[in-house]
Amino acid sequence: MINPYRYFLYLLVLCSIQANGQIFRIRDEASGKLLEGVIITCTESVQVAQTNSRGEADISSLKGCSRLNVRHISYAALDLDFAQLSTLNFEVSLQPINIRLNDVVFVAGRVAREKSKEIWPVARLNPSDQVFYQPQTMADFLGASAQVFIQKSQQAGGSPMIRGFATNRLLYTIDGVRMNTAIFRAGNIQNVISLDAYSMQETEILFGSGSVMYGSDAIGGVMQFKTLSPAYSLNGKMLVSGSAASRFSSANMEQTAHADINLGWKKFALLSSITLSNFGDLRMGSHGPDDYLRKVYQQRQDTFDAVVVNDDPRLQRPTGYNQINLMQKAALNLEKLEVVYGFHYSNTGDYPRYDRLARYNSAGIPRSGDWYYGPQFWMMHQLGINIKQANLAWDKLQLNAAYQRFEESRFDRDFNKNTLRKRLEEVDAFSLNADAIKLLAAGWKLTYGLEAVINRVSSSGTDSDIRTGTSQKGPSRYPNADWYSQAVYASVSKSIRRNLHVEAGLRYSNFQMDCRYDTTFYPFPYTRSSQQNGAFNGNLGLAWNLPANWKFSLIGSSGFRAPNVDDAGKVFDPAPGTVTVPNPAIKPEYAWNADIGIGKRMGNTARFEFHAYATRLNDALVRRDFLFNGSDSLMYDGNKMKVVAIQNQGYVTVLGLSVEGEWNFYKAFTISGNWNFQEGKEINDDGSYTPSRHAAPWFGTARLSYKKNKFRTELNLIAQGSKTHNQLAPEEQGKKEIYALDANGNTWNPGWYTLNFRASYSFWKDLTLNLGVENLTDQRYRAYSTGIAGAGRNLVLSARIRW
């Protein structure tokens, strides 16, 4: 029977909201502080409200809801009837807790969903994590999750590895726009450092194949980055808010400064952000393999290259670089739609390829006099239109049009040679996405959309004489090429009763690639190649919330990766004595993935989550021996080298486990940790197998933390297992410049650990000071497949103020 009093209150609240909109304020129950980032949802609507920097949210978009779900990862969940709001004066308080519960994720279905009901394994990094951990780069921020392994070839690096896959088998999105380009390579990449950790609002990592929602490349996982959004005024007065931050670290004499400001009116808002960083040469630790020491380095002296004794072998010369990040957004909020324009700009200075500079010939002389990347440039213009007016086709429609410009270059010169080789790549990437959500009968939710992508690749080479300054055309790294993709997808989900949640999806993608080869320098047997491929893929999964707060999840999914220009057309030297040549005959690789998850929550004091997964990648694109014009060798940069090429050969298998947990064992004290294990194999057509390059050793972290009111501190242990010589992939075994040597003189990667301490204190309500000491025991270590040793004992100081 309907309660007349409650029904009358509901009508009063609804009429008030329809007439004027309504501001909902949310506070911390202990401190009374207004809370930012609280997410408000309901089951009857696809709309989402989120509190701004003043703890306020406009909930007028949720006016049809009977009950609101109020969620924040660090607070106890709150569900309340819409009719209760008036009696509460539209203000509530949340109870703080010391473990991460009640999170809301967006990545898997592009709709808000409580993590307890989420089928996919998802990790979410919050702004509070960025403030506390103060990462140097976005790659370091991902690594702080202890669920993503980070490889670095140089200090200006950061190539994520997820579940045994990396580089072009992972997908990056920024504000819903695909960041992967047609030259994302199988080797390590550092595009993620183009993103600014200080301007991130949310970062989510989906583990496993996300190809239904995101298309090609989403085999091992999807990293979705959402930057700060312009905030409107909710009280009729101009809203002025923002923050400023600075950071110093002693291991590389880092100096970073950041500022952002938001100006908001009722219907219009502006947001500006800037971050400047300068990093010096990185100093490694004292205790560890001597193989990592930089005992000598090359230096240009007048007209010749000299080998100079390093007066501090722990100082990795040269590794320093600088970077700038800019962001500008403008938003217009109308009754039935919202329009947001975003401009992103990132650029680095030149940065040395440290591992290549550490290569020596048999006489102990450096192979290179110079080896560095030119500025890594990324720019994006984005126009997003959020149509809020529901109709028969959708309840919510998001349109995204974007243009991105990528520029990257490589400069290398042999030791005591005068020819400096420059290879420049430029990519213009255009994309258009339409993503719709519709609530159907019987509680079904439909998500569907379209995507179109165009990449135009321009590649050139220049050879310069450093003595005379003269230049001439040189061979390019890639052919000039066009790469196209078109796709349509649909996914349905439903909560059956209150404890069983199911989801199924399907996607069809079509790809075309056209490459144009220059035969001036290499005798290619073709001047042009074209290919077209199509791919279906799907997923099916369930999440089952059992009694006593247990959760069980099961997912089966498929994924794929269409060959890109890097696969089909690249010419480069991946290792000493070998050269990769184009192979236009390759075709897509397909992945099959299964994931079983078990989790349990013990009130508001403890939780754990366990996942076991398996992936099989068929028709795997791998680098193998090849014949070029009938020959197994080719002259490259004046040297005769063995020919290899990317080919579809055999398959790859990855098996893995991941465990995470938290226990608030005594008042404000919490123990938490993550552990990840993966094993990958590449099985050849003849049945032989070798270790997979991107399956990292086991890695994880354990934390002891204390958090109360304005003070937070943490002591953590980060560790990685070892890999013997035989456990390294064949292409890794010869890289003496990055690995330690065992008793037999063979390469291997020793296991390592670091012990780290950090603390933060919030003065007043707007100023936070952080102090950290990383690698307390001053270990000398290198992460797996990494070309640079990690920082030794490192003092980190930072400050952040908000207004």
Side-chain angles (χ1 to χ4, degrees):
M1 182 176 178
I2 297 176
N3 185 320
Y5 175 70
R6 176 172 290 183
Y7 183 68
F8 177 69
L9 278 177
Y10 176 77
L11 287 179
L12 280 178
V13 172
L14 183 59
C15 291
S16 172
I17 290 175
Q18 287 177 324
N20 305 307
Q22 182 58 58
I23 309 307
F24 189 17
R25 293 178 179 85
I26 303 177
R27 296 181 181 272
D28 181 301
E29 184 178 89
S31 67
K33 179 182 178 180
L34 289 165
L35 296 177
E36 181 180 8
V38 180
I39 297 173
I40 305 141
T41 63
C42 76
T43 57
E44 299 103 321
S45 174
V46 299
Q47 303 296 335
V48 178
Q50 188 168 352
T51 56
N52 61 17
S53 59
R54 297 183 178 179
E56 300 174 336
D58 184 351
I59 57 172
S60 57
S61 62
L62 301 173
K63 61 187 178 184
C65 299
S66 60
R67 191 169 181 82
L68 295 181
N69 312 122
V70 183
R71 299 290 185 268
H72 190 286
I73 193 170
S74 300
Y75 292 83
L78 177 65
D79 298 323
L80 68 163
D81 293 341
F82 217 125
Q84 293 177 263
L85 291 177
S86 181
T87 59
L88 295 172
N89 199 28
F90 291 94
E91 186 172 307
V92 299
S93 297
L94 300 183
Q95 177 188 355
I97 54 178
N98 284 322
I99 64 172
R100 292 169 177 258
L101 297 175
N102 312 312
D103 205 0
V104 175
V105 295
F106 295 83
V107 67
R110 296 184 180 177
V111 294
R113 186 155 53 197
E114 291 184 48
K115 192 172 181 181
S116 62
K117 302 176 182 178
E118 180 54 65
I119 293 166
W120 297 91
V122 179
R124 182 168 180 246
L125 305 179
N126 299 287
S128 60
D129 297 319
Q130 193 278 331
V131 172
F132 183 68
Y133 290 108
Q134 285 293 299
Q136 180 171 283
T137 67
M138 196 65 219
D140 296 325
F141 194 22
L142 290 171
S145 71
Q147 299 180 73
V148 177
F149 189 88
I150 300 297
Q151 181 278 347
K152 294 184 179 183
S153 297
Q154 62 281 323
Q155 187 175 195
S159 188
M161 296 183 183
I162 299 176
R163 292 194 165 190
F165 296 100
T167 60
N168 55 18
R169 288 172 178 157
L170 303 176
L171 188 73
Y172 304 71
T173 71
I174 176 75
D175 289 340
V177 176
R178 177 189 180 92
M179 195 178 185
N180 292 43
T181 73
I183 63 169
F184 265 40
R185 54 191 177 272
N188 300 306
I189 59 176
Q190 50 268 352
N191 297 74
V192 74
I193 71 167
S194 292
L195 306 179
D196 180 13
Y198 283 94
S199 67
M200 287 300 152
Q201 183 170 307
E202 293 168 351
T203 300
E204 292 185 344
I205 308 156
L206 180 149
F207 300 94
S209 175
S211 287
V212 166
M213 291 296 173
Y214 299 98
S216 178
D217 305 359
I219 290 176
V222 178
M223 290 162 283
Q224 178 166 284
F225 305 96
K226 185 179 184 336
T227 59
L228 297 171
S229 299
Y232 304 101
S233 171
L234 301 180
N235 59 12
K237 301 177 182 178
M238 185 175 76
L239 171 67
V240 180
S241 60
S243 69
S246 64
R247 172 187 149 112
F248 165 82
S249 59
S250 62
N252 58 1
M253 303 306 290
E254 173 203 355
Q255 300 173 69
T256 292
H258 165 82
D260 62 79
I261 186 168
N262 183 96
L263 303 177
W265 295 266
K266 183 177 180 180
K267 298 293 184 182
F268 183 69
L270 292 169
L271 174 70
S272 302
S273 172
I274 181 172
T275 302
L276 301 169
S277 296
N278 186 73
F279 308 101
D281 293 335
L282 182 64
R283 177 174 279 102
M284 67 182 80
S286 303
H287 310 294
D290 288 347
D291 302 293
Y292 299 157
L293 292 172
R294 181 68 159 157
K295 298 177 181 178
V296 297
Y297 62 95
Q298 50 273 77
Q299 186 181 83
R300 188 70 176 176
Q301 296 180 354
D302 296 325
T303 59
F304 66 94
D305 294 320
V307 177
V308 179
V309 175
N310 193 353
D311 57 2
D312 183 358
R314 293 170 51 205
L315 190 63
Q316 300 174 90
R317 293 174 169 164
T319 50
Y321 75 104
N322 57 74
Q323 182 169 339
I324 180 173
N325 285 83
L326 301 172
M327 183 177 73
Q328 179 64 57
K329 288 190 176 183
L332 178 64
N333 191 22
L334 304 176
E335 182 180 355
K336 297 181 180 180
L337 60 85
E338 181 185 30
V339 181
V340 180
Y341 165 76
F343 170 74
H344 301 260
Y345 172 92
S346 175
N347 204 13
T348 70
D350 295 342
Y351 53 97
R353 177 71 186 265
Y354 182 75
D355 60 341
R356 292 294 182 104
L357 291 171
R359 285 182 175 178
Y360 300 90
N361 61 24
S362 57
I365 303 299
R367 293 178 179 269
S368 299
D370 284 310
W371 215 122
Y372 60 93
Y373 289 103
Q376 179 172 291
F377 172 83
W378 171 66
M379 178 184 69
M380 181 171 77
H381 296 274
Q382 179 194 14
L383 182 66
I385 302 175
N386 176 20
I387 299 176
K388 298 178 284 186
Q389 181 68 34
N391 57 34
L392 291 176
W394 63 73
D395 292 326
K396 181 180 179 180
L397 175 64
Q398 179 69 42
L399 303 174
N400 259 322
Y403 163 69
Q404 298 178 82
R405 172 78 173 184
F406 299 83
E407 294 180 11
E408 57 185 59
S409 56
R410 295 160 178 80
F411 295 78
D412 74 286
R413 182 180 58 83
D414 295 338
F415 193 78
N416 268 325
K417 300 295 183 182
N418 297 315
T419 301
L420 179 67
R421 296 176 287 267
K422 174 185 178 181
R423 305 296 179 255
L424 172 66
E425 283 74 58
E426 301 166 294
V427 180
D428 293 302
F430 305 86
S431 61
L432 180 64
N433 294 78
D435 301 293
I437 307 170
K438 180 66 179 178
L439 295 180
L440 304 177
W444 287 96
K445 182 180 292 183
L446 171 66
T447 305
Y448 64 98
L450 305 168
E451 180 185 67
V453 177
I454 300 173
N455 278 196
R456 289 181 174 159
V457 178
S458 175
S459 183
S460 61
T462 304
D463 293 341
S464 303
D465 190 309
I466 61 172
R467 292 178 307 171
T468 65
T470 58
S471 299
Q472 61 183 8
K473 181 180 178 181
S476 63
R477 180 179 172 90
Y478 296 111
N480 290 332
D482 297 317
W483 187 90
Y484 305 89
S485 167
Q486 310 85 37
V488 57
Y489 76 90
S491 178
V492 293
S493 61
K494 177 179 172 63
S495 293
I496 301 174
R497 299 178 182 173
R498 296 188 62 181
N499 63 341
L500 182 61
H501 317 282
V502 296
E503 180 179 319
L506 185 67
R507 182 186 184 102
Y508 176 74
S509 303
N510 191 53
F511 303 90
Q512 307 87 42
M513 180 167 57
D514 179 57
C515 299
R516 300 168 294 280
Y517 299 89
D518 183 352
T519 58
T520 303
F521 299 95
Y522 303 117
F524 298 122
Y526 37 73
T527 59
R528 190 163 192 158
S529 67
S530 298
Q531 61 172 264
Q532 180 171 341
N533 295 290
F536 278 102
N537 63 282
N539 62 43
L540 179 64
L542 63 86
W544 191 8
N545 297 110
L546 300 168
N549 288 320
W550 283 92
K551 177 187 174 183
F552 172 80
S553 63
L554 177 64
I555 306 163
S557 62
S558 64
F560 71 99
R561 187 173 75 83
N564 63 20
V565 178
D566 183 88
D567 298 311
K570 179 169 61 178
V571 179
F572 89 117
D573 55 329
T578 64
V579 58
T580 297
V581 299
N583 181 14
I586 54 178
K587 57 186 180 180
E589 53 185 7
Y590 296 89
W592 300 91
N593 179 74
D595 182 289
I596 297 175
I598 299 173
K600 180 172 174 59
R601 167 179 167 176
M602 286 74 84
N604 287 336
T605 60
R607 69 172 185 92
F608 80 86
E609 191 171 342
F610 166 87
H611 284 272
Y613 58 88
T615 302
R616 175 171 170 141
L617 185 68
N618 291 330
D619 294 323
L621 291 166
V622 294
R623 189 180 296 119
R624 293 292 183 265
D625 293 347
F626 192 67
L627 294 178
F628 183 75
N629 285 337
S631 174
D632 63 359
S633 61
L634 174 71
M635 292 300 296
Y636 177 80
D637 286 343
N639 300 302
K640 188 175 182 179
M641 295 189 175
K642 179 182 178 181
V643 171
V644 296
I646 300 293
Q647 305 168 58
N648 295 101
Q649 189 172 117
Y651 59 94
V652 174
T653 62
V654 177
L655 301 175
L657 304 171
S658 66
V659 183
E660 64 171 309
E662 292 181 275
W663 179 28
N664 182 202
F665 66 95
Y666 180 73
K667 294 184 179 180
F669 289 94
T670 301
I671 294 175
S672 62
N674 304 76
W675 184 77
N676 305 272
F677 170 83
Q678 48 278 310
E679 181 180 54
K681 295 180 180 180
E682 294 182 2
I683 292 84
N684 300 312
D685 287 334
D686 62 4
S688 62
Y689 70 87
T690 57
S692 178
R693 174 185 178 186
H694 289 136
W698 68 260
F699 65 98
T701 187
R703 311 177 190 91
L704 172 63
S705 58
Y706 175 89
K707 183 179 179 182
K708 187 172 183 180
N709 298 331
K710 300 178 179 181
F711 181 65
R712 178 181 176 184
T713 188
E714 177 180 293
L715 180 67
N716 67 54
L717 176 76
I718 300 173
Q720 177 217 286
S722 64
K723 277 206 175 191
T724 65
H725 181 72
N726 291 332
Q727 291 173 326
L728 295 175
E731 60 264 44
E732 295 292 291
Q733 290 178 346
K735 296 180 179 179
K736 293 185 177 181
E737 68 272 14
I738 70 173
Y739 289 110
L741 301 180
D742 63 19
N744 297 317
N746 294 321
T747 52
W748 77 299
N749 183 222
W752 54 268
Y753 78 92
T754 62
L755 190 63
N756 313 278
F757 170 81
R758 53 179 41 89
S760 72
Y761 188 81
S762 297
F763 294 85
W764 308 291
K765 63 176 182 178
D766 299 319
L767 175 64
T768 301
L769 299 182
N770 292 65
L771 180 147
V773 183
E774 299 173 344
N775 196 358
L776 283 163
T777 58
D778 206 25
Q779 298 298 300
R780 183 186 306 142
Y781 68 96
R782 275 186 183 168
Y784 166 69
S785 193
T786 288
I788 186 171
R793 187 179 295 115
N794 186 25
L795 174 66
V796 180
L797 301 173
S798 66
R800 184 184 182 105
I801 187 168
R802 304 191 61 186
W803 61 84

